[in-house]
Amino acid sequence: MEVANSSATMYPGRLMSPNDVRAAVYNQRKVLPREYQQGWYLCGDVTDEFFDRLRNGERMTESLDYFTVKGGQLFAVFTLQIREQQARFLLPLASEKSTRFVEQVERTGVFMSLGKGGATDALLVEFKGGRLRLRELLQASKRCGSLPYDVDPVILRLASLSMMQLEAVPSTNRHHVVAEVCLTVILDS
């Protein structure tokens, strides 16, 4: 197993519905490939090195996890990993939009728009972390309290700090220990 110096960075992100994505592409007078037009998007930034590795075609592994905190607040964590680097996307499931996301995503798919550390370049990636986990996430959301509700900022901060810890999400690559984390916190309002 390879180990590198540990570090963590955090970026804000956003959740985009298929309609949001089509409108944004139309407004920019760009063309989005057909296979990318119907999915939901988690949009955020990754480190320059992660971006370059992904653009150069390095092997990426994925996982989807979720957890509940005080009062039954549910968070989903979508993880991409290249070697020792993980890009994590933390999504609080509290709004009407995030509820629609969970209800539709097993059918429509999840895509990620990954920016290069705040620059305008972006890569589109289909998240193929598993339909079974998406179904489990839907079931977990149905067990939570009534939606929508405001996410407690203290809970969001604690969840974010927790997800910045290297050991919070196990390595999805058996040959590499997680040594760098890039966290995107998705706020969909």
Side-chain angles (χ1 to χ4, degrees), residues 53-127:
R53 286 178 174 184
L54 185 59
R55 184 177 49 204
N56 292 332
E58 288 199 38
R59 182 176 173 271
M60 181 178 68
T61 55
E62 306 167 343
S63 70
L64 168 59
D65 297 287
Y66 56 88
F67 60 93
T68 56
V69 294
K70 175 188 161 207
Q73 293 183 26
L74 180 64
F75 289 83
V77 182
F78 292 81
T79 304
L80 306 175
Q81 184 169 334
I82 299 176
R83 289 194 253 162
E84 75 287 348
Q85 297 178 316
Q86 277 190 351
R88 300 174 185 166
F89 291 75
L90 178 65
L91 174 64
L93 299 170
S95 69
E96 289 179 27
K97 190 173 193 178
S98 63
T99 301
R100 284 194 325 273
F101 167 79
V102 172
E103 290 170 350
Q104 297 174 8
V105 76
E106 183 182 358
R107 179 178 39 82
T108 65
V110 179
F111 295 90
M112 297 177 155
S113 176
L114 307 175
K116 185 176 183 177
T120 58
D121 290 347
L123 295 173
L124 299 180
V125 175
E126 182 176 6
F127 184 84

Side-chain angles (χ1 to χ4, degrees), residues 134-149:
L134 292 171
R135 193 172 306 127
E136 290 172 4
L137 179 60
L138 174 60
Q139 295 307 315
S141 73
K142 289 180 178 178
R143 291 189 298 269
C144 287
S146 61
L147 297 172
Y149 60 83

